[in-house]
Amino acid sequence: MQLTINGKVESLDVSTVLDVLKAKDIDPQLVAVEVNTQMIDQENLGTTSLKENDKLEFLFFMGGGA
Amino acid sequence: MSFTEDQITRYSRHILLPEVGGKGQKKLSQAKVFVVGAGGLGCPVAYYLGAAGIGTIGLIDSDVVDLSNLQRQVLHHTPDVGRSKTQSAKEKIQALNPDVQVNTYEERLTAHNAREIIRQYDVVIDGVDNFPAKFLINDACYLENTPLVHGGILRFEGRVMTIVPNESACYRCIFKNPPPTGVVPTCQEAGIIGVVAGIIGTIQATEAIKLILKIGQPLTNRLLDFDARTTTFREIRVKRNPSCALCGPNASLTELIDYDEPEACAI
Ligand SMILES: [Zn+2]
């Protein structure tokens, strides 16, 4: 299905948020996920179904300051 | 308190702005901003806040200046290598603007001292390099009901978000807990293009000034991500998370957590 991930439109064969993370080889521990501006709790990544044209934001930890 | 003639001249370009004026400049001169970390972010933040005539700047850092800091930590100069970062920073800020009172804390911010120090300030700036400290600052600011300007930098990227407790999303609304130690690289490990610290730091200083003057729209409920490689800013809308352990309706965090600090993370 077509999804917008961090502002870019992508076509992926997935059904849940966890599928997207797996497809992109992203460790779920290292990212906060928003679907259509709603934060998804880590324990719900595998049960959150996606639909056509959903907007996903992957927010990675950015720790530096020094 | 009234301004001297020199002060009126010094701040004339501020005073000219209808949004600032004499009244606003007075607010700045009475404001107290606490900058956590006198490094890549802390230096530009404190430098500009000092120039702007912020009355009191608190600076906390337990580190000494290292030669590898000078590529971005603009308050520290070559002769400062080996000196305390807070002392080095204080000297430069006061040379720029003797009006500014600079309080230095040559220590780490911990679960024991954080709330007591933060309580004495109006706005807090996150300029630290490690996640335990970022969560500690977020939690302490929420518990003390003090606005926080969060910042982060890595490689060619940077991020800013303003957090007004009880009004906007906090850091934990997005990131529940610090990542496992060692899995997210620090600037020390992964590098940082020096100028990004300046860009993100000056945005943080801008946010602090806006909060003090109560002008414009703060960068709340918006995460601003900057990428220097493409010179693009991306704004990600966020909102308060009902399951946030700190600021949600069923919050379970009511006191500060002393996370295991990673070894010396060049704050
Ligand atoms: Zn929160």
Side-chain angles (χ1 to χ4, degrees):
Chain A
M1 72 178 92
Q2 242 183 29
L3 301 165
T4 304
I5 300 172
N6 287 15
K8 285 194 192 98
V9 179
E10 297 190 35
S11 211
L12 290 170
D13 185 19
V14 292
S15 55
T16 68
V17 178
L18 195 60
D19 293 341
V20 181
L21 292 176
K22 279 183 184 155
K24 295 187 154 286
D25 206 16
I26 296 169
D27 180 348
Q29 282 185 299
L30 302 185
V31 68
V33 184
E34 217 188 54
V35 178
N36 303 327
T37 78
Q38 201 76 44
M39 292 302 309
I40 307 298
D41 285 344
Q42 208 150 53
E43 51 272 27
N44 299 333
L45 292 173
T47 53
T48 304
S49 304
L50 295 168
K51 56 180 191 323
E52 202 66 26
N53 299 322
D54 272 345
K55 282 192 171 62
L56 280 75
E57 292 290 346
F58 291 152
L59 304 169
F60 293 91
F61 279 106
M62 197 182 298
Chain B
M1 182 197 116
S2 57
F3 290 116
T4 63
E5 224 167 283
D6 273 358
Q7 286 172 321
I8 291 168
T9 308
R10 178 186 286 270
Y11 303 121
S12 57
R13 302 303 191 274
H14 270 170
I15 294 169
L16 276 169
L17 295 165
E19 293 85 348
V20 185
K23 259 191 187 161
Q25 191 59 48
K26 197 170 159 183
K27 276 190 205 164
L28 295 176
S29 73
Q30 289 167 342
K32 297 177 168 187
V33 180
F34 184 48
V35 181
V36 189
L41 292 175
C43 283
V45 169
Y47 214 178
Y48 271 96
L49 291 180
I54 295 294
T56 306
I57 296 175
L59 271 178
I60 186 165
D61 203 310
S62 61
D63 255 348
V64 295
V65 179
D66 185 85
L67 188 58
S68 66
N69 299 152
L70 305 187
Q71 157 255 26
R72 64 198 180 285
Q73 301 183 10
V74 290
L75 284 174
H76 312 308
H77 301 172
T78 305
D80 297 315
V81 170
R83 295 183 63 212
S84 135
K85 282 193 180 176
T86 55
Q87 284 309 314
S88 158
K90 179 180 180 169
E91 269 175 28
K92 313 309 186 317
I93 296 165
Q94 291 191 323
L96 170 65
N97 189 350
D99 293 345
V100 182
Q101 151 104 27
V102 181
N103 301 333
T104 57
Y105 306 83
E106 240 171 280
E107 55 191 309
R108 295 182 77 102
L109 196 72
T110 67
H112 305 288
N113 63 15
R115 289 186 66 173
E116 200 185 311
I117 301 174
I118 284 171
R119 199 172 295 156
Q120 300 162 45
Y121 292 88
D122 305 314
V123 179
V124 175
I125 307 279
D126 171 352
V128 296
D129 190 16
N130 67 82
F131 293 104
K134 287 193 184 297
F135 280 85
L136 178 75
I137 295 166
N138 177 69
D139 297 355
C141 286
Y142 177 77
L143 295 172
E144 290 299 327
N145 200 22
T146 304
L148 163 66
V149 187
H150 166 87
I153 47 173
L154 192 67
R155 300 190 180 106
F156 287 82
E157 292 170 50
R159 171 181 293 166
V160 197
M161 181 172 80
T162 299
I163 299 164
V164 178
N166 290 309
E167 286 179 29
S168 73
C170 83
Y171 191 55
R172 272 190 201 276
C173 286
I174 304 166
F175 299 106
K176 296 206 151 180
N177 291 297
T181 317
V183 293
V184 179
T186 63
C187 294
Q188 210 175 354
E189 295 155 3
I192 170 73
I193 188 100
V195 287
V196 166
I199 291 165
I200 298 301
T202 45
I203 295 175
Q204 287 182 290
T206 311
E207 286 296 299
I209 288 170
K210 283 163 54 191
L211 286 167
I212 293 159
L213 295 176
K214 295 190 166 63
I215 56 170
Q217 277 96 42
L219 187 59
T220 47
N221 291 324
R222 294 182 283 154
L223 202 63
L224 186 68
D225 272 10
F226 172 69
D227 190 334
R229 285 165 299 202
T230 48
T231 315
T232 42
F233 283 96
R234 236 165 59 79
E235 191 180 296
I236 300 122
R237 296 242 150 217
V238 291
K239 49 189 172 193
R240 290 184 73 184
N241 187 339
S243 66
C244 178
L246 182 69
C247 77
N250 303 310
S252 54
L253 278 175
T254 52
E255 52 190 273
L256 297 180
I257 303 169
D258 232 338
Y259 290 105
D260 270 343
E261 299 268 339
E263 42 42 269
C265 238
I267 291 185

